[in-house]
Amino acid sequence: MTNPRESEPFLQVSDLSVTFRVTGSGFRRVPLHAVSDVSFTLQPGETLGLVGESGSGKSTTGRAVLRLIEPTHGSVRLRGEELTEMSRKELRRKRQAMQMVFQDPYSSLDPSMTIADSLAEAIKQHEDLGRTDVRERASELLDEVGLGRHHLDRYPYEFSGGQRQRIAIARALAVRPELIVCDEAVSALDVSTQNQIIKLLERLQDQEGVGYLFIAHDLAVVRHISDRVAVMYLGRVVEQGPVEQIFERPMHPYTNVLLSAHPIANPARQRGRERTVLRGELPDPTAPPSGCAFRTRCPHEFEPCATELPDLVEMPNGSFVRCHLHDQGPVLGGSTVRVLPPESRGDRRAATSDETVSTDAE
Ligand SMILES: Nc1ncnc2c1ncn2[C@@H]1O[C@H](COP(=O)(O)OP(=O)(O)OP(=O)(O)O)[C@@H](O)[C@H]1O
Ligand SMILES: [Mg+2]
């Protein structure tokens, strides 16, 4: 008989929301919806890239998946087990399957502990081994991440940034995780070190089938490492889909703007693609715009955008998009929106061909 859980994705995040209470004007406590109704799945050995401007809710999503921040609402299922309802004790056990690697490995490495002690602490959480075996396992982990075992008795401050990141990854691997949330894990490294760490992550994925939730500002890195990408804007996923779809044929105006600075592989399409500059700042998350939160910066705003939050709808190309252009307006992806029809311009200027969001201008 087949186990019904086998058909479930290894990680299933549904309607995940995190609301902080922050101090607003007049010292009043106001809600800040950092993450709203985020849903995604991850299969073993798969990488989901998470992109979006600073403050869009990427880190909060990563932390809420691991319950390092308590979700306000929603569900996180790991191999069919609901994490949001687990007791602290159960969660501690489960957490071994889920690790996080941060931008600054100092935050995960105790500066007063040698590498051997730091790795031993992690190994002992997972395996009941004697002293000699623990040291041997720590040596193997250092080998795995490409650092010699002669480094075992050194302290974190004696390493370069790239080496520290390798140690942080070794520590995450010590508990044989199934999921690693990489939050800007390679952002602070120079390009050649970045490449080495990415190769290391890919090799570990091939060998161990680790799934990555990969958060990064660097779109080239995200494109390289991801199988699928989710684009966040002000706490919501506005577009999600296979990496090539997102980069070659973005459907949401925000994705298009975010990626317009990123060169695409097809030179003809690259030449024809128009650069669109994102206007203005990310709105105040404690007072987000009504309807579609992106509308205040969108060159295509039309009548329903101010009043109705668009649903995340599935497109024929396999992407999911949250934009009224796709549920009630002229189609953007697949064919170029040149000028919106007059009745759909609302009280804003029409998009001229200069500022058109063009995704397919071959
Ligand atoms: N502990 C907290 N208390 C209150 N607000 C918070 C807290 N952590 C994050 N926020 C707010 O939640 C929103 C999302 O923050 P988050 O750190 O998830 O963004 P991000 O996408 O990771 O940004 P960056 O790219 O700069 O790391 C921001 O408006 C931020 O100010
Ligand atoms: Mg962040």
Side-chain angles (χ1 to χ4, degrees):
M1 217 176 90
T2 53
N3 179 348
R5 283 185 182 169
E6 279 173 13
S7 55
E8 279 203 52
F10 134 79
L11 178 72
Q12 177 145 34
V13 175
S14 312
D15 300 330
L16 187 71
S17 303
V18 179
T19 303
F20 295 112
R21 297 207 72 85
V22 297
T23 309
S25 58
F27 295 102
R28 269 187 324 120
R29 303 290 282 170
V30 291
L32 185 156
H33 302 288
V35 175
S36 302
D37 296 326
V38 167
S39 301
F40 58 84
T41 58
L42 197 68
Q43 298 293 354
E46 192 185 29
T47 301
L48 176 70
L50 205 51
V51 299
E53 276 167 286
S54 183
S56 56
K58 306 179 297 295
S59 297
T60 307
T61 301
R63 284 164 189 257
V65 166
L66 269 54
R67 260 184 80 185
L68 296 171
I69 292 175
E70 284 297 331
T72 315
H73 170 80
S75 150
V76 179
R77 293 172 79 83
L78 186 73
R79 294 211 180 278
E81 285 191 273
E82 180 59 60
L83 299 184
T84 58
E85 289 166 6
M86 275 184 189
S87 67
R88 287 271 139 206
K89 195 171 158 205
E90 277 178 293
L91 186 64
R92 214 170 302 128
R93 191 173 46 79
K94 269 283 146 206
R95 274 239 184 85
Q96 290 176 13
M98 310 177 295
Q99 293 289 305
M100 190 144 182
V101 176
F102 299 94
Q103 176 169 354
D104 173 15
Y106 263 124
S107 56
S108 47
L109 293 174
D110 184 336
S112 68
M113 283 169 100
T114 64
I115 304 311
D117 290 342
S118 193
L119 291 175
E121 188 184 63
I123 292 163
K124 284 190 217 152
Q125 282 178 32
H126 177 72
E127 285 168 292
D128 191 17
L129 298 175
R131 243 182 104 105
T132 320
D133 290 339
V134 167
R135 196 168 165 89
E136 180 51 32
R137 175 86 184 108
S139 306
E140 283 169 13
L141 283 166
L142 281 190
D143 286 341
E144 256 181 71
V145 298
L147 279 176
R149 44 184 75 198
H150 56 282
H151 291 113
L152 272 178
D153 296 312
R154 289 167 60 181
Y155 289 89
Y157 73 87
E158 296 176 288
F159 292 91
S160 71
Q163 287 173 324
R164 277 203 296 270
Q165 202 57 297
R166 284 173 195 266
I167 297 163
I169 293 169
R171 199 170 188 282
L173 289 173
V175 291
R176 300 192 192 278
E178 296 179 278
L179 166 71
I180 302 184
V181 176
C182 298
D183 190 354
E184 305 285 0
V186 297
S187 307
L189 308 175
D190 64 68
V191 174
S192 79
T193 316
Q194 233 179 39
N195 288 340
Q196 289 167 10
I197 298 288
I198 287 165
K199 281 205 183 97
L200 167 66
L201 292 172
E202 288 176 327
R203 182 166 56 76
L204 296 171
Q205 187 164 58
D206 287 346
Q207 285 170 1
E208 317 269 340
V210 189
Y212 296 126
L213 182 58
F214 195 88
I215 299 168
H217 277 106
D218 187 330
L219 297 171
V221 170
V222 170
R223 181 173 193 167
H224 175 86
I225 201 164
S226 304
D227 300 298
R228 285 182 298 123
V229 175
V231 181
M232 290 188 73
Y233 187 79
L234 221 62
R236 284 188 196 278
V237 170
V238 295
E239 182 163 2
Q240 189 176 151
V243 63
E244 287 310 312
Q245 289 290 354
I246 298 285
F247 278 85
E248 292 290 329
R249 289 174 187 270
M251 309 279 284
H252 194 286
Y254 177 64
T255 315
N256 195 63
V257 175
L258 191 72
L259 303 187
S260 69
H262 176 78
I264 52 179
N266 182 329
R269 198 178 298 156
Q270 173 66 28
R271 269 195 304 280
R273 195 163 68 160
E274 289 155 49
R275 294 259 191 270
T276 315
V277 178
L278 201 52
R279 299 180 290 179
E281 301 279 311
L282 198 67
D284 175 359
T286 62
S290 60
C292 169
F294 185 58
R295 69 180 169 84
T296 53
R297 301 165 84 189
C298 180
H300 298 292
E301 186 192 1
F302 66 117
E303 186 263 312
C305 304
T307 50
E308 293 170 37
L309 173 70
D311 287 330
L312 199 61
V313 290
E314 187 168 8
M315 295 285 114
N317 69 2
S319 290
F320 288 81
V321 186
R322 192 187 283 284
C323 175
H324 286 309
L325 284 172
H326 295 286
D327 62 8
Q328 10 189 320
V331 170
L332 179 68
S335 65
T336 306
V337 174
R338 280 290 165 201
V339 181
L340 293 173
E343 66 275 17
S344 67
R345 288 179 195 163
D347 57 2
R348 298 185 68 89
R349 288 172 307 137
T352 64
S353 53
D354 284 341
E355 58 182 0
T356 293
V357 176
S358 159
T359 57
D360 193 16
E362 278 169 294

